[in-house]
Amino acid sequence: MNPDLASQLRDIHSAPPVSWWPPAPGWWLLAFLVLLLLFLAGRRLLTGYRVRQRRKQMLGWVDHLDTSIDPEREPQAYLSTLNRIFKLVALRAFPDRHCAAMAGVDWAEFVVEKMRDSESADALDILATGPYDPRPQFDPAVMSELTREWIRRYG
C-alpha cells in the first residue's frame, strides 16, 4: 500500500443523529385525526350542554307558570301559556312539519300523536279549544306533567 494514499484517507465517522423534526407523514396524519376527533367530541359535548341548558330553562318556564297563573281562576291564560310552550318546543324539534301554521284541532292532534305512548296523552285535546272555552275542564297537574314530558322528549 502506498503511504501517501493512506495519509489522504479520512477517519471513519458516524452518521448525524436522526432529527425529530419534521415528523414522518404518518405522524402528521395521526395528529390530524386526533385533532379532528377532539374537535368532533368537543362539538358534541357543547351541543349536549346547550340542549340540557335549553331544557332546564323550558322546565323553569313551566315552574314559573305553575306559580304565577292560577289554573282555577285563569284557566284560559294557563292553557294559552302551556300551548305557547308546546309550540316553541315543536318549532325547534319538528322544523319540517310547519308547526307554526298549525292551530286548533290539527295542532292538538299533532301533539297527541307525538305523545301517544304517554298514559294521559288524550288530556292534550284541551289545547284545541281550552284557551277559548269559557269553562275548560282539565287537570292542571296532568297538563303540567305532560308539558314537562314534552320538553324532556323534544326540547
Side-chain angles (χ1 to χ4, degrees):
M1 186 156 170
N2 188 348
D4 293 332
L5 289 178
S7 65
Q8 295 176 2
L9 292 177
R10 293 188 187 182
D11 198 16
I12 296 176
H13 63 281
S14 61
V18 177
S19 173
W20 63 274
W21 194 262
W27 287 109
W28 283 108
L29 180 64
L30 182 65
F32 175 75
L33 289 176
V34 166
L35 287 175
L36 180 67
L37 287 175
L38 286 173
F39 172 75
L40 293 175
R43 198 169 92 181
R44 186 174 182 114
L45 287 172
L46 183 63
T47 302
Y49 173 76
R50 287 180 178 162
V51 167
R52 285 189 301 278
Q53 289 301 104
R54 185 176 60 244
R55 285 181 183 159
K56 186 177 177 181
Q57 180 185 22
M58 290 178 180
L59 290 171
W61 294 346
V62 178
D63 292 338
H64 178 70
L65 173 66
D66 288 342
T67 59
S68 65
I69 298 178
D70 181 18
E72 300 299 323
R73 289 196 333 233
E74 301 175 86
Q76 293 86 3
Y78 185 82
L79 288 173
S80 178
T81 307
L82 280 182
N83 208 5
R84 251 184 262 137
I85 294 171
F86 272 95
K87 188 76 77 158
L88 284 171
V89 172
L91 287 173
R92 187 167 197 69
F94 308 105
D96 57 329
R97 297 293 301 263
H98 306 291
C99 297
M102 290 184 190
V105 176
D106 292 338
W107 168 245
E109 286 176 357
F110 172 77
V111 174
V112 169
E113 172 195 333
K114 295 297 179 187
M115 298 287 287
R116 183 55 58 196
D117 57 342
S118 180
E119 294 176 6
S120 50
D122 293 332
L124 292 170
D125 286 334
I126 195 72
L127 293 176
T129 59
Y132 315 108
D133 191 359
R135 297 254 183 233
Q137 299 297 319
F138 66 97
D139 184 3
V142 170
M143 291 301 291
S144 178
E145 188 52 42
L146 285 170
T147 307
R148 291 173 197 283
E149 188 176 339
W150 176 262
I151 291 170
R152 281 187 219 106
R153 282 187 193 182
Y154 303 112

